Structure formats: C-alpha cells, structure tokens
Amino acid sequence: MSTKEIETNAIKMVAAGKGILAADESDGTIKKRFDSINVPSTEENRRSYREMLFTTKGVEDFISGVILFDETLRQSAQDGTPFPTLLAGLGILPGIKVDKGAKPLAGAPGETVTEGLDGLRDRLKEYYGLGARFTKWRGVINIGEGLPTSYAIEANAHALARFAALSQEASLVPIVEPEVLMDGGHSIETCHEASEATFKCVFDELSKQRVLLEGMILKPNMVLSGKDCPSRAGVEEVAEQTLRCLRSAVPEGVPGIAFLSGGQTDEEATAHLNALNATGPHPWELSFSYGRALQAPALKAWVGEASNVPLAQKVLYHRAKCNGSARSGSYSTAMEKEGVAV
Ligand code: 13P
C-alpha cells in the first residue's frame, strides 16, 4: 500500500470546484435508464453513451473523477483510446465500482447486505493495473416499520470496512457509500436518526479494521424527508440537518464527503449542496458524486442518437458547472437560465 498515493488521490478527488461523476451503473441499472428513453442496452450503446459523457469538452473543469463499471473500465473510445487512459489524459481520476450489489439479508425481512468481498483482493490488483485509482462500494439501508435494524446496519458497516481496508492495501482510495434510502413517507427527523446511527457504526468499523481516514472518501445520503412525506423539508433544513448529522458522526481526518443524489431531482441536488457549502468552513470538503443528478438531463437529450451528442454534452457540461459552483456556495437558480432546455 502506498499511503502517500492514496492520501494525494483522495485530496484530488475532492478538489475545489469539482466533484465526481458516478457512471458506474450495473448492467441492470443502465438497462433501466436506457428503457426510459427506449434505447436497447447493447454493449455498443453503453459504450457510445459513456463516450459521449467522457468526451464532453471542458468537463474536467468540474469533474475530478469518474466511477466506472467493470465493463466500461475495459472499453475504449471510438479512436481506440481505453477509457481509463482518456480520462487520465484529462486529469480525471478513473475509479471502479467493486461491489456486486445489495442482496436480501438472511433473517432480516426488507433489509439487504452488499455482496462482493470474495476474491476482491485479486480483482483490486487487476483494476489498479487497468488504471483505476479509486473504488466504490454501496451499502443500502432501508427505512420502514421497525427498520433499519442494528443487525442490518452492522452487517453493512462491516462489509464497507472490509472493502475499504482491502482497497487501501491495493493503493486504491475507497469511496465508502452508506446510503439510507429516501423511499417512504418518513420525516426528515427519521432520516436523521437512521443516518446518524449508520454513519457512526460505519466509522466504528472503519476504525476497528484500521482504515486510514485520510485515504478515503465518504459518500453518504443527504438527510432528507422521505420521497412520499406529505410535508417535505426545504433546502435550508436539509442543509442544517445534514451538517448536524455529519458533525456528530464523521471524524475530521476524512478529507472529503461526496454526496450521492439518491433520487433527488438534478436541481434539488445542486441547491442542497450549495446550501451546505454556503455555511462553511467545514472540517471536510463537501462535494458531489452524483449519478442521476448529473446524467438524467443529458440522457434525455441523447436518446441514443449520434446527432444529439453535442446537445447532450452541452446539457452535461451545464449540470457539472452548476454543481461546480455549488462546491463553493456560489450557485444560484439564475444559473439554470444559461442551460439548454431539453
Ligand atoms: P445517484 O447519484 O444516482 O444516487 O448515484 C450515485 C451512486 O453512485 C449510487 O451508487
């Protein structure tokens, strides 16, 4: 393990004005996204969609790293340049999702644990050789009647820490992603309680398993009302509750926190990040690692047509720029007028 390498790359991942593009949709998830625009999920369509994202001119001004899926890490642009080489050439760190998805947790109805630890050490070695410099693992926590249980939180925290320790051993920066889902009609207070319990348990496990805090990034959910909550909390309250939760659970040694968007609309996710940064300074960089909130409008603009690539790239560039501004609290909804309507 190179401590210096992982510490340096962790800092690069949360560089000022930039964040991470999560483009690591598994085969099942990308199929769902393509179904929404009536595009068949073939290997070539997946490749050309990702090429559209990665070759967006100037995107490197706002994107520090891209999370890839196994298939994408091995694919190339049309001119034959492997994607990891293309990204590295732009000064963007290539990363890789290494978990194998959330599976039902035995004895815990309605809860899951993430799989993928078996053989991980060997896979990490290969990924480093293919150019990856960071990794991601997502643990999923459900809110519901009597949920989450401490059993599910502990099982997921344990797996996240095992993944993180193995990644650092292989000189890869782990993105530790505990996601408390926003599905349900729960209040923001309920989300706060579940998130705080989860993040505390995760850092307890990370400490037990000797994970170097300076060489990792936390990718949490924001503290939000449930999607179906009748009176959803506003932007200021989300920022306030999220900060309160993070302050009580996240040690200062962690260089950065890069939020997932988790089903927020693209503009909501930007406004929330902006409000979080408007109240700084904070002990950690507060950044983004968005999938849907960065890609959704670009996907809609693209709809699988090569002739739409320039428009889709404009749309992606605009979202990346808005989130880049939100990194310093300097985003305003007026910026949205500069965007292209899709
Ligand atoms: P979303 O921003 O769409 O939640 O995706 C982020 C991610 O990487 C989920 O694992």
Side-chain angles (χ1 to χ4, degrees):
M1 144 164 157
S2 164
T3 304
K4 191 168 176 337
E5 183 179 4
I6 54 176
E7 287 186 0
T8 307
N9 284 337
I11 288 168
K12 276 191 199 158
M13 288 160 71
V14 289
K18 297 186 188 182
I20 295 166
L21 167 64
D24 60 331
E25 297 83 4
S26 62
D27 287 340
T29 305
I30 196 74
K31 184 178 180 312
K32 249 197 274 173
R33 305 278 183 266
F34 279 11
D35 282 351
S36 74
I37 52 164
N38 287 317
V39 170
S41 182
T42 62
E43 186 176 344
E44 176 50 25
N45 284 344
R46 294 191 293 270
R47 194 206 61 76
S48 54
Y49 173 65
R50 266 80 181 236
E51 177 165 0
M52 179 276 287
L53 298 176
F54 307 157
T55 56
T56 295
K57 222 170 158 246
V59 80
E60 66 275 15
D61 294 343
F62 312 110
I63 299 296
S64 55
V66 176
I67 319 174
L68 305 168
F69 184 58
D70 182 280
E71 175 187 87
T72 324
L73 187 74
R74 302 169 196 277
Q75 285 175 327
S76 300
Q78 221 156 16
D79 70 1
T81 312
F83 283 144
T85 310
L86 187 156
L87 292 169
L90 294 167
I92 296 176
L93 287 169
I96 176 86
K97 181 234 285 298
V98 302
D99 68 66
K100 298 214 162 179
K103 305 286 157 61
L105 176 62
E111 300 194 290
T112 60
V113 68
T114 302
E115 295 189 349
L117 289 168
D118 285 359
L120 183 57
R121 178 177 272 129
D122 294 336
R123 284 199 287 136
L124 293 173
K125 209 167 153 198
E126 189 197 3
Y127 289 146
Y128 189 95
L130 288 168
R133 289 297 173 266
F134 68 91
T135 52
K136 186 197 94 170
W137 179 289
R138 173 173 174 259
V140 183
I141 301 297
N142 284 310
I143 292 181
E145 199 58 43
L147 305 187
T149 62
S150 52
Y151 165 38
I153 292 176
E154 282 159 22
N156 278 288
H158 189 265
L160 276 164
R162 285 203 55 203
F163 139 80
L166 282 163
S167 294
Q168 292 189 338
E169 182 190 86
S171 298
L172 292 155
V173 178
I175 296 187
V176 173
E177 181 180 10
E179 176 174 7
V180 176
L181 294 179
M182 70 189 280
D183 297 343
H186 55 267
S187 67
I188 190 168
E189 287 79 16
T190 302
C191 177
H192 186 283
E193 197 184 325
S195 302
E196 185 174 288
T198 301
F199 304 160
K200 281 186 169 165
C201 185
V202 166
F203 279 100
D204 191 37
E205 277 299 332
L206 290 168
S207 158
K208 281 186 192 149
Q209 298 191 40
R210 304 169 188 180
V211 172
L212 178 74
L213 296 178
E214 289 75 9
M216 64 160 278
I217 300 295
L218 179 71
K219 175 166 174 167
N221 55 286
M222 292 179 188
V223 176
L224 303 163
S225 317
K227 224 169 36 200
D228 305 321
C229 176
S231 57
R232 303 197 64 219
V235 174
E236 298 308 320
E237 191 180 358
V238 167
E240 194 258 315
Q241 295 249 21
T242 301
L243 276 173
R244 202 154 56 80
C245 179
L246 295 173
R247 279 204 204 98
S248 78
V250 185
E252 296 198 359
V254 174
I257 296 173
F259 296 98
L260 58 94
S261 60
Q264 302 176 58
T265 67
D266 45 354
E267 292 188 21
E268 256 170 15
T270 308
H272 286 149
L273 181 66
N274 189 65
L276 281 156
N277 277 308
T279 61
H282 305 299
W284 343 261
E285 291 292 327
L286 294 182
S287 186
F288 59 92
S289 174
Y290 294 159
R292 282 162 287 179
L294 272 169
Q295 293 184 52
L299 181 75
K300 218 169 114 193
W302 176 64
V303 291
E305 297 291 337
S307 58
N308 290 332
V309 165
L311 175 66
Q313 291 185 328
K314 252 192 208 160
V315 170
L316 174 69
Y317 181 87
H318 173 69
R319 280 277 33 98
K321 187 177 175 188
C322 289
N323 285 304
S325 298
R327 286 281 285 105
S328 58
S330 57
Y331 162 82
S332 78
T333 46
M335 272 183 86
E336 298 297 349
K337 295 202 186 77
E338 299 163 19
V340 197
V342 182

